[in-house]
Amino acid sequence: MNLYKRAKAICVVMLAVSLAACVQNHHRLQETLTRPAERDARILVLPVDAELFELSFGGAPTPRQDWTVAARANMNAALRGFFEERKIAVAFHDGVVDDAQTAKLMRLHAAVGQSIRAHQYDGPESLPTKKGKFEWTMGPAIRGLAPADAADYVVLVHVRDSYSSGARVAAQVVAAAVFGVALHGGMQIGFASMVDLNTGDVVWFNRLLRGAGDLRTAEPAKETIAALLEGMPQ
Amino acid sequence: MTPHRFRSFVLVAAVALSLAGCAFYASVGPGAHAIQGKLDVTLDSTWNRQVDGASNIWPETWTRNGPLLDTVHLAPGIEEGKALVNLPENALREYPRYRAGSSPTDIVAFVQGTLARTVAASDFELVEVAPAEVAGHSGIRFEFRFGAGNQGSFETDRHALGYAFERDKQLYLLLFHAAEIHYFAAGKPAFEAIVASARLPQVRAAAR
Amino acid sequence: MTVGRRGFLSGGCAFCATGLMACMPADQTGRPLTGIDGSIDLGPRVAPGVRTASSASADDGLRAMFDQMERRLRVSRFLVRDGRLNAYIARVVKGMADEYAGDIRPYVIRVPDFNASQASNGMMNIWTGLLLRCTNEAQLAAVLGHEIGHYIRAHGQERDGMRRQAADIQQFLAFIFAGLGVAQATDLTNLILTASYFNYSRDHEREADEIGIRMLSTRGLAPIEAARNWENLRAESEARGLPRYRSIIDASHPDPGEREATLRARAAEMPAGDPRSAAYREGISDIREMLFEDQIRTGAHGATVLIADRWISVDAKDGLALYAKGEALRLRAGGEDEKTADATLEAALGAAETPAVAWRSLGLLRRKMGRESEARELLNDYLRRAPSAPDREIIRRTLTS
C-alpha cells in the first residue's frame, strides 16, 4: 500500500468529484430482487472494506485505526438496519477464507469490481462495447461463495475515507483566504456491488465520490450507507 | 483540535476535459481486420481495441471485458532478435527475444517470459503443447495456467491459450488469456473463431 | 492495462518504493562510509509482543494497514505453502529474532527477484528470488537479520513520520514562497526534502546491516557471507547490464559497494563462523527446482548462468544448477553459448537431482546442431522420464517427422 500514490490518487479523484455529482453513478440490471416464493431474499454481505485516513497539514494521509474500527462497526449496523427495513434477510461473511477455491472467487470478484470501475464509467479506460449498457458477470461458479440456502445475493461495500486534521483545516483556510487557492480536504471514495449468486450476474453497481459524509459516528454512517446503496434492487 | 471535515471543491473543468479527450480503447469489428499488413482476421462481433495507454505495447491488443478479465494479443511477423512488445531498447533489456527456428517448448517459454514482464505473471502450469494448423501453416497450439499481478495490484488467476507458427524465420502469435473462472471458457470460442479466420495477406504472398 | 510490474533489481524492490516497508534490495548509488560501526548502540525501539491496538496513533494506523495486507497475502496464490520450506524459514527466523520470534511472521512469496522486506506489524516478505540467490544459511540469515533489525529499530514508523513531515514542510514552504511572491519553488523544495528523506533511509539500511551481521556472529554463522550477498548482487547487476549509477537524490539505499566493504571490514573483526551450506540446501530442497525454473523463465540468461555457477561452485554435481546453466546458455545462444551449453548439459545428465527437462534441453540443442540421431535418443529419454509431460504430443510429433 503506497501512501504517496494514495495521496496522489485522492487528489486526482478529488478533481473528479464535482463532476460525479452530475453523472450517473449507479447501474443496474433489475429493480427488484428475485425472491423465492416461500421466503424473503437472503443477502450475504462480504466484510466491509473500509479504511479511514487523517490528512496532515500538508495533506499527507495517515491511516487512523480507531476511526477505521468505528467505521466498520457503524457500517455493519447501518447495513443491517437498511436491509431489515426492507425485509431482506442479511448475513455477514466472517472474512475467513481458508480454501484455495474461495480465495479464487474472491479474487475474481475483486477483478470484476475493478473492471467495472475502470471500464463502465466515462474516462480514458472506458470500453466502447460497454457504452449504454451494463453487462458484467462473475459466471455461475460464484455460487461457491455461499451455500444455496444461505444467500441469493452477495453484496460488497468498499470505502476509503479521509478527513482534514485541525492543522489541515487551518492550511485550507489560509490558502483560501490569503491566496485564493483551494487545497483538497477530506474525501469519501467508495463503491458497492450486488451479485446474483445463481447467475453470477452483477445486478447492481454504485460508486461514491464526494467531499461529504462521516463514517466515524453512527448517524452520519447511516447516511453514507444510504448513499452507497442508492439504486440497489429491493 | 478536533479534526473535522472541510469541504473543498477544486477547479476541475480543465482536467476533466483533458481526460475526456483521451481514450485508450476504440471498437473493432465485426468484419475483416488487417494486422499491420501481416495477418488478416475476421471478427464476428465487436471487440475493444487498445489504441493508447502505458500498456499499449503489443502489436495488437483486444478485450471484451477489460484486460483484467480477458485479453487477446496478436503479434504477426516477429523477427529474429525482436521482443513480442514494442518498447524503447533500454526498457526491453530483460524481455526475451525471438530466436528463429525455436522449438515449440521455446516458443511457449518466449510467451511466458514476456507475460512475466507485462502482467507480472508467474506460477506457470503448462497444460498442453500440441501440433495445430494456423493460417494454413503447420504450427502449435498451447495452453497454460498462471497467476498475474502481485501485491499492490490485482492478483488474478488466469488461463492462456495460444497459437503460433513460424514463416520466413518470423513468428506469428495469436494469444488469448483470461480469468480462469468463467472468462476463459466464455471467451474461448470467439478467440478460436479469430484464429480460424486468420490468413496471410494475399497481396504480400503475390508479391513474393 | 498493465496489471502490475514488479520492481526490478535496479529499480529497487516494489515495497521500498512505497517508503513504508524498510527493505534490502540491490541499489547502484554512491555514498561514503558512515559512523555506523561496531561501537554504536543499536538497542531496540520496539518492545517484544507489540500488537496492533485500536488507537489514534499513526503507528497503529500503519500496523493496521499492514495487517490488512497480510490478510490478503495469506490467500495469495503466490504464497509458497510448502511445509518443509516454511518450517525451515521459521526455524532460521526464530534463531535470529530471539525474544521477537513471536512478532516476526515470515511469508515466502513467489517472485523471482532478490528482495525481502519487513513491515512494522511484523509481516516479513521473502521473495523466492532471494532464496535462489543464497547458497547457504548465513547468506539468508544476513538478510533476515537485516530485516529484523528494521523491525526492532522501528525504521518503518520513522520513515512514515518522515513522509508526513515532508508533506507538511512542503506545504509550509509553499505558503512562504507564495507570500514572498516567488513562483514555482516546488522543484527545489522537493529536491531538498527528497535528499534528506533518503539520507535518513540510508542510515536505516546501515543500521540494519550492522544489526544483521552482529546477529550472524553471535549465532556462530559466518559473517563474511553478509558481504558476499552484496558481491553477488553486484556481479549480477553487471551480468544483467543494469545501470551502475543513479542520481544520489534518488537513492533510498546506500551504494552496494559501500555496504559490501563495510560488512567485509566488520566480518574481519569477528570469528569466521559456519556458512551452513548443507542445512540450507536441505531446507529449500522441496522448491529448488521451482526456483531455478522461475529464474530461467525471467529470460535474464546472464543472471541465471551466474546464479547457477554459484551453486555449481558449492557442489560440482548439482544437476539442477547444471541444467539451469545449460538451459540458459542454450536459450541465449550467443557466441560460444551453445558449445558451453552442450558440455554443461552433458555434465547435468550424469549428476544428481537432474530434472527430466535436462534431457529435452540437450535433445533440442543437439537437433539444432544437426546431430539428429543423438537428439532423437535424448528426446526419447525425456519422454521415458516424463511420460505425462504436457508437451509430450509435440515432442512425439517432432520425433516421427
Side-chain angles (χ1 to χ4, degrees), chain C residues 146-161:
Chain C
H146 169 107
E147 299 304 336
I148 295 165
H150 282 314
Y151 181 84
I152 63 177
R153 296 285 288 168
H155 288 157
Q157 293 91 316
E158 255 179 27
R159 287 171 76 159
D160 186 43

Side-chain angles (χ1 to χ4, degrees), chain B residues 55 93-94 99 104-106 112-113 117-118 120 122-123 128-129 131 140 146-147 149 151 153-155 157, chain C residues 1-6 8 15 73 76-78 110 240-241 297-298 330 332 360 364 390-391 394 397:
Chain B
S55 62
R93 198 185 292 116
E94 301 216 318
R99 300 270 169 215
T105 306
D106 295 347
Q112 292 178 339
R117 296 291 168 201
T118 57
S122 77
D123 194 4
E128 191 194 34
V129 188
I140 58 166
F146 65 105
Q151 293 140 318
S153 66
F154 282 84
E155 212 178 271
D157 308 275
Chain C
M1 188 185 81
T2 303
V3 176
R5 276 181 220 174
R6 51 182 74 108
F8 297 149
F15 281 168
L73 179 56
S76 167
R77 78 174 274 154
F78 298 112
R110 191 166 174 182
R240 287 165 79 167
R297 192 71 71 239
T298 65
R330 178 183 79 81
R332 190 169 69 180
R360 181 182 71 190
L364 294 173
D391 61 351
I394 197 85
R397 167 93 160 230

Side-chain angles (χ1 to χ4, degrees), chain C residues 5 10 26 58 83 166 214 307:
Chain C
R5 276 181 220 174
S10 72
R214 285 182 194 177
I307 293 165

Side-chain angles (χ1 to χ4, degrees), chain A residues 14-15 124 129-130 137 163, chain B residues 5 8 12 24 48 65 183:
Chain A
M14 189 66 212
L15 297 173
T129 60
K130 298 285 184 187
T137 189
Y163 303 84
Chain B
R5 181 60 57 95
S8 64
V12 295
F24 293 176
N48 305 289
N65 295 287
Y183 285 88

Side-chain angles (χ1 to χ4, degrees), chain B residues 6-203:
Chain B
F6 185 93
R7 291 181 68 144
S8 64
F9 286 113
V10 185
L11 303 166
V12 295
V15 174
L17 284 175
S18 67
L19 275 181
C22 68
F24 293 176
Y25 297 94
S27 59
V28 60
H33 190 79
I35 315 294
Q36 301 185 335
K38 294 177 184 168
L39 192 69
D40 294 338
V41 295
T42 307
L43 299 169
D44 48 21
S45 62
T46 305
W47 287 65
N48 305 289
R49 174 172 183 254
Q50 193 173 6
V51 292
D52 203 351
S55 62
N56 189 31
I57 56 177
W58 292 78
E60 196 76 30
T61 301
W62 298 346
T63 179
R64 300 206 300 180
N65 295 287
L68 271 180
L69 300 176
D70 55 41
T71 302
V72 165
H73 292 307
L74 304 175
I78 302 295
E79 293 165 18
E80 162 86 25
K82 298 282 189 216
L84 270 174
V85 298
N86 305 312
L87 280 170
E89 196 53 36
N90 64 334
L92 275 180
R93 198 185 292 116
E94 301 216 318
Y95 276 77
R97 308 305 176 104
Y98 186 64
R99 300 270 169 215
S102 281
S103 68
T105 306
D106 295 347
I107 290 172
V108 175
F110 176 56
V111 172
Q112 292 178 339
T114 304
L115 290 174
R117 296 291 168 201
T118 57
V119 294
S122 77
D123 194 4
F124 295 102
E125 183 202 333
L126 191 61
V127 178
E128 191 194 34
V129 188
E133 191 173 294
V134 193
H137 288 71
S138 116
I140 58 166
R141 175 192 190 281
F142 56 90
E143 240 181 88
F144 56 85
R145 293 192 195 87
F146 65 105
N150 47 24
Q151 293 140 318
S153 66
F154 282 84
E155 212 178 271
T156 53
D157 308 275
R158 303 182 83 78
H159 195 141
L161 168 64
Y163 287 85
F165 65 93
E166 193 184 84
R167 179 178 184 266
D168 290 349
K169 297 191 167 182
Q170 297 182 4
L171 178 75
Y172 288 72
L173 171 74
L174 301 95
L175 179 68
F176 169 60
H177 63 95
E180 188 183 342
I181 300 173
H182 182 72
Y183 285 88
F184 181 75
K188 190 175 149 188
F191 173 67
E192 297 271 19
I194 292 172
V195 175
S197 77
R199 298 283 178 274
L200 290 173
Q202 289 307 309
V203 185

